[in-house]
Amino acid sequence: MEAIVKSFFFHTGRYFLMMRQVFSKPEKFGVYKKEFFHEVDNLGLNSLPIIAIISFFMGAVITIQAAYGFTSPWVPIYAVGFTARQSMILEFSPTMVSLILAGKVGSNIASEIGTMRVTEQIDALEIMGVNSRAFLILPKIAAFTLINPFLILISMFLGVIGGWIMGVITHVVTSYQYQTGIQYQFDPGNVTYALIKATVFAFIIASVSAYHGYYTDGGSLEVGRSSTKAVVYCSILILVFNFLLTQLLL
Amino acid sequence: MLELKNINKHFGDRHVTKDFSCKFDQGKTNLIIGESGSGKTVLLKCMVGLTQVDSGEVLYDGKDFIKMSIREKQHLRTEIGMLFQGGALFDSKTVEENVIFPLAMFTDMTQEQMLERANFCLERVNLKDVNHLYPSEISGGMKKRVAIARAISTSPKYLFCDEPNSGLDPKTSILIDKLIKEITLEFNITTIVITHDMNSVMEIGDKVVYICNQQKWWEGDNKTILHTDNKELNDFIYVSKFLRELKEKQA
């Protein structure tokens, strides 16, 4: 138990010390800007296909399951559309998609930086006089924190569309009923809540994965371990912060 | 000039460098030799600050690197070039981008000037038509040469090479050695090479320091090393039967 507590404080302290270096003044703004746009493409736009496919089909499944569950005559059928919208906006898109991205983006960041560590590329940066923490991590955090809310918005949209299309095709709901449902008691505050969650989760994914990659020690086996650790810790932190933010914002 | 004074380094209970002191002169190739595990690479990492020393001084032109602030260290490091064992080229960048990187980071050169400088450095290490290839597309010897080109692109005052010949065939090894020697003379830099390759010692060893039992055991040059009566050093040099027989014949 003592070892776990010690390890917790050691890693927390080292994480915050690393973050202090990450947010120090860049040596050359132009070079960082180029890296930032590279990361927007690498971490954000490359994640779009998987998000689109998952969101579309998840919206469809939520719609069919809602229709299956609402058997009471007291529940109007447009509640199917309402349920699909609320599920996508409040929980599925910001939280579940972020958990999926913790796997894809988190392992990508941890293994990329970890490989740079074990092949001495980070040492090479340090020898040149480059602040390696800032150069490698800041563009990733900035890019992913900025792009993730847009990815989540696209996920919400595609999820609702997926529910609509598949709901109509499978005849569980009519187009009119679904449209009525998705407009029923719409609160834009829910979208704001989801986007705040998306931003916080993106920061967690980028920074925690980068931490595990940066402090990789050893060879290819350790790169794999860092990558796994990054996904596990990101997932746990996302669930914890999901609870905290929900408690605070709703 | 680079001077080390009483450098000590432990890893747990293991003493990897004991009271190491030495001076490395400008315009010369200074070689540190020794068996695997004798602490050569740790010593090199202590010199450039990648590993913290337990005690001692690392003096760059009289200024102690260990006592410098982070900013001062970062500034000094812009005057340092380093060739790592595996090259340590950035995988995601092309050869040209690798060489340009330190220029883009620390100079106010225009894109044309940086390209011109990169081409000059690549030509200097005898590399042509590789500008747009990635490190994974070139051979081990070419990687080492790109790493040298990157190291010299900012005209450093100090060049550190960690086993530049490891994994290379004898012919390419000698080419790399000669290149290091030529660059040292041409740009009048202080070069420190970690190696256990006796060919390198004989080719470029203006100054040779032998490390044994984690401390400085012998100091001299490539002219005196073959005639030393130091037992441990002789055991290191004449490790093969062929060389022992050759020495006996010469004697």
Side-chain angles (χ1 to χ4, degrees):
Chain A
M1 187 64 192
E2 192 190 328
I4 295 170
V5 174
K6 264 187 183 173
S7 169
F8 171 77
F9 281 110
F10 171 76
H11 287 291
T12 310
R14 196 164 66 164
Y15 170 81
F16 283 108
L17 285 173
M18 184 191 86
M19 294 312 286
R20 201 177 71 175
Q21 291 280 316
V22 167
F23 289 102
S24 57
K25 193 183 163 202
E27 292 91 350
K28 209 58 173 295
F29 188 73
V31 180
Y32 277 67
K33 195 171 80 177
K34 200 175 158 192
E35 290 296 314
F36 169 80
F37 285 113
H38 171 72
E39 296 301 346
V40 167
D41 180 44
N42 182 33
L43 303 177
L45 302 183
N46 283 348
S47 304
L48 209 48
I50 184 87
I51 287 174
I53 292 166
I54 290 172
S55 303
F56 184 88
F57 284 101
M58 199 48 74
V61 169
I62 290 169
T63 302
I64 294 167
Q65 282 180 348
Y68 175 74
F70 295 158
T71 50
S72 166
W74 298 104
V75 180
I77 198 68
Y78 66 75
V80 170
F82 173 79
T83 307
R85 185 201 74 201
Q86 289 296 84
S87 304
M88 290 306 296
I89 292 177
L90 289 175
E91 200 56 23
F92 181 77
S93 290
T95 310
M96 300 312 283
V97 168
S98 292
L99 281 170
I100 292 161
L101 288 177
K104 186 191 175 290
V105 173
S107 61
N108 177 317
I109 292 175
S111 56
E112 183 190 325
I113 297 178
T115 306
M116 289 186 79
R117 165 64 75 195
V118 300
T119 55
E120 296 181 311
Q121 292 176 51
I122 292 180
D123 288 345
L125 281 170
E126 287 287 329
I127 292 296
M128 285 175 200
V130 176
N131 176 355
S132 62
R133 292 170 188 86
F135 177 74
L136 293 174
I137 302 170
L138 184 59
K140 289 186 193 331
I141 292 178
F144 194 54
T145 308
L146 186 86
I147 200 78
N148 198 39
F150 290 101
L151 295 177
I152 298 306
L153 276 176
I154 292 167
S155 164
M156 289 172 190
F157 177 74
L158 289 174
V160 172
I161 294 290
W164 185 10
I165 293 171
M166 298 313 254
V168 171
I169 287 174
T170 54
H171 303 295
V172 297
V173 66
T174 66
S175 184
Y176 175 75
Q177 286 165 336
Y178 191 86
Q179 283 179 47
T180 307
I182 58 174
Q183 290 172 62
Y184 181 69
Q185 285 190 344
F186 177 70
D187 179 7
N190 287 348
V191 178
T192 311
Y193 155 75
L195 294 183
I196 291 171
K197 286 210 298 187
T199 310
V200 173
F201 296 160
F203 184 86
I204 290 170
I205 293 168
S207 63
V208 172
S209 308
Y211 170 80
H212 284 287
Y214 192 85
Y215 290 106
T216 301
D217 189 17
S220 54
L221 199 66
E222 281 73 17
V223 174
R225 278 193 192 131
S226 296
S227 188
T228 309
K229 270 188 198 171
V231 176
V232 170
Y233 284 106
C234 284
S235 303
I236 293 169
L237 284 169
I238 285 172
L239 293 173
V240 171
F241 274 83
N242 186 34
F243 168 72
L244 293 174
L245 288 170
T246 305
Q247 189 71 8
L248 277 171
L249 298 172
L250 283 187
Chain B
M1 192 185 71
L2 173 61
E3 187 177 359
L4 304 178
K5 279 187 182 172
N6 310 106
I7 299 293
N8 280 289
K9 178 69 190 170
H10 292 82
F11 284 122
D13 296 334
R14 203 161 58 90
H15 216 146
V16 281
T17 303
K18 283 182 199 166
D19 223 22
F20 188 94
S21 297
C22 195
K23 274 184 185 177
F24 301 107
D25 298 323
Q26 194 172 352
K28 285 186 177 172
T29 42
N30 303 276
L31 269 66
I32 299 174
I33 60 169
E35 291 167 26
S36 297
S38 59
K40 306 183 296 291
T41 301
V42 172
L43 185 67
L44 187 82
K45 287 188 173 177
C46 287
M47 287 187 222
V48 293
L50 288 176
T51 301
Q52 298 287 315
V53 297
D54 294 335
S55 63
E57 290 173 281
V58 180
L59 303 165
Y60 283 87
D61 289 328
K63 285 181 83 176
D64 191 359
F65 182 75
I66 295 156
K67 288 178 185 158
M68 286 180 189
S69 66
I70 291 175
R71 286 280 168 202
E72 282 176 316
K73 281 181 183 172
Q74 281 182 342
H75 178 72
L76 177 78
R77 280 173 171 165
T78 60
E79 297 179 344
I80 292 175
M82 185 153 172
L83 171 60
F84 286 86
Q85 236 182 83
L89 298 176
F90 305 127
D91 297 328
S92 58
K93 297 185 190 299
T94 62
V95 164
E96 187 177 271
E97 286 166 345
N98 263 282
V99 181
I100 281 178
F101 181 78
L103 300 170
M105 213 67 185
F106 298 108
T107 68
D108 294 321
M109 285 180 173
T110 62
Q111 190 63 26
E112 289 76 35
Q113 287 170 323
M114 285 193 287
L115 273 175
E116 200 179 316
R117 177 71 186 162
N119 285 329
F120 167 78
C121 293
L122 287 170
E123 276 174 30
R124 186 65 200 80
V125 296
N126 306 320
L127 281 175
K128 276 178 189 168
D129 305 324
V130 294
N131 291 39
H132 302 294
L133 297 179
Y134 283 89
S136 58
E137 297 170 325
I138 57 177
S139 70
M142 286 162 105
K143 276 182 196 168
K144 295 269 164 94
R145 282 189 275 168
V146 175
I148 295 175
R150 184 177 69 180
I152 62 169
S153 65
T154 50
S155 308
K157 283 172 74 177
Y158 307 93
L159 179 65
F160 295 90
C161 306
D162 186 9
E163 300 195 18
N165 302 329
S166 65
L168 299 181
D169 64 86
K171 203 175 163 187
T172 314
S173 292
I174 288 178
L175 274 176
I176 296 284
D177 285 338
K178 282 185 175 166
L179 197 58
I180 291 170
K181 174 88 176 170
E182 284 167 17
I183 284 164
T184 302
L185 289 171
E186 197 175 318
F187 302 106
N188 194 30
I189 50 186
T190 308
T191 300
I192 290 140
V193 181
I194 297 287
T195 187
H196 38 60
D197 181 1
M198 283 311 292
N199 283 332
S200 301
V201 174
M202 300 319 293
E203 281 289 329
I204 61 170
D206 293 333
K207 177 171 185 165
V208 183
V209 176
Y210 173 60
I211 298 182
C212 183
N213 296 330
Q214 287 71 47
Q215 52 193 309
K216 189 169 84 176
W217 208 256
W218 183 88
E219 192 175 338
D221 57 34
N222 56 1
K223 292 177 187 72
T224 54
I225 195 166
L226 293 179
H227 311 293
T228 176
D229 53 4
N230 187 302
K231 186 189 172 300
E232 286 78 10
L233 181 55
N234 275 324
D235 288 347
F236 176 76
I237 300 169
Y238 301 105
V239 70
S240 75
K241 193 182 168 195
F242 170 74
L243 285 172
R244 276 198 306 274
E245 284 174 358
L246 196 70
K247 193 190 179 192
E248 280 160 18
K249 272 181 192 172
Q250 280 181 342

